[in-house]
Amino acid sequence: MERSTKLSMVFTEQRISQAQVVKALAAKGITFSCASLSRVKRRLEWPKTCDVEAIKRAITEYLKTCGANESQLTNLFSWYAPKPQITDNTDFKDPEPEMLNAQAKKFFKLRRDPFENEISSLDDVFWIDPYRVILEDMLLAATAGSMVALFGECGSGKTIVRRAFIHNIQKDHPEVILIQPARLDRRRLTAESISTAICRALQIKHKPSAEERDAAIEEALIESANNGHLHLLIIDEAHDLSSDVIKLLKRIWELTHGFQRVMGIVLIGQTELKKKLDGQHVREFTWRCNQVAMSPLGRFVPDYIQHKFARCGVDASKIFTEDAMSAIRGKCYGIIKHGIALDDSQLDRSYPLSVNTWIAKAMNIAAAVGEKTIDEKLILRM
């Protein structure tokens, strides 16, 4: 396999042509042909009559302005030596989803399933400090016009946090106008869909052309800001957004009224959203966006169990022993093996959905065998 230079790899990653670099050098008063640059890029061969160090500095500075990061610029003029990839092995498998069956509900005298459609008010939500911090970050997006991307595993509680946030906004911050695109398929969410959502929220009449509509939107946002309103665009399932739409959101966010931004943005999605924002195509958005991950329940698993059953009028300690609750937490942990000579790390998957599933499994089994009290031994046998 033919070797490549680090410079060649960076050109490819940043989508930069030799002609662009030669033009940038010329702007600095440095004459360097495309043919000479090609030899440097392919074979690290420099012309005998040139100021090599000056050209290196100029190329490095130009690549930096194009978005190349520190890792890409380190040892730029050398042969590319990729690090061997080490595949992590995870010793963990999420449980198959399971609901509490009718027999278990009757056996444990439950009026309803503690984990099915269980959120009807803020009092039903189990709060830990990381969730409150997320709410504050999202509120800051509304009041200060910042951008937040919230991502997490399926069942980690993103939807509940979003619903609680919208409830708080509608209750305590009437000055905030929420804008939520109505398309169910986020993969088909376009610039027109977002514009339509803004027009609907600000009651802008239909405009025949996109240019007229964009002008009307900007005018309406500034007028609304003058009237004391704040605006927040919320997009759920944002991991399905295209890179083009994410870049469009950054342009919307850049609209200002004086020194005040007129629009904040909140994206909510699964962990694929994090991977998408790490891509080079949306780096201008990512650099300005506060990325927040949903935290697992961790040591609060027993408190979570107690809370959910209390909302049903049931004392969970009458069903689960203390060590059983700890064992349920243990069921949500795994090990990540990083390979030879590297220490293993712990994987914490104690998200609400996983905890709910393990509880349902335990109660279904206990009801089937007629066991009124669920202890650690029963949990460990699952």
Side-chain angles (χ1 to χ4, degrees), residues 332-366:
C332 300
Y333 280 73
I335 299 295
I336 303 175
K337 299 179 180 180
H338 298 292
I340 299 173
L342 295 172
D343 293 334
D344 296 343
S345 59
Q346 195 173 59
L347 174 68
D348 185 355
R349 299 274 292 183
S350 57
Y351 297 111
L353 181 60
S354 294
V355 175
N356 298 352
T357 298
W358 285 117
I359 290 174
K361 286 180 179 292
M363 294 180 72
N364 289 341
I365 292 172

Side-chain angles (χ1 to χ4, degrees), residues 203-216:
Q203 299 180 343
I204 301 173
K205 293 182 179 179
H206 176 74
K207 300 294 181 182
S209 72
E211 186 177 347
E212 287 179 310
R213 184 181 63 236
D214 291 345

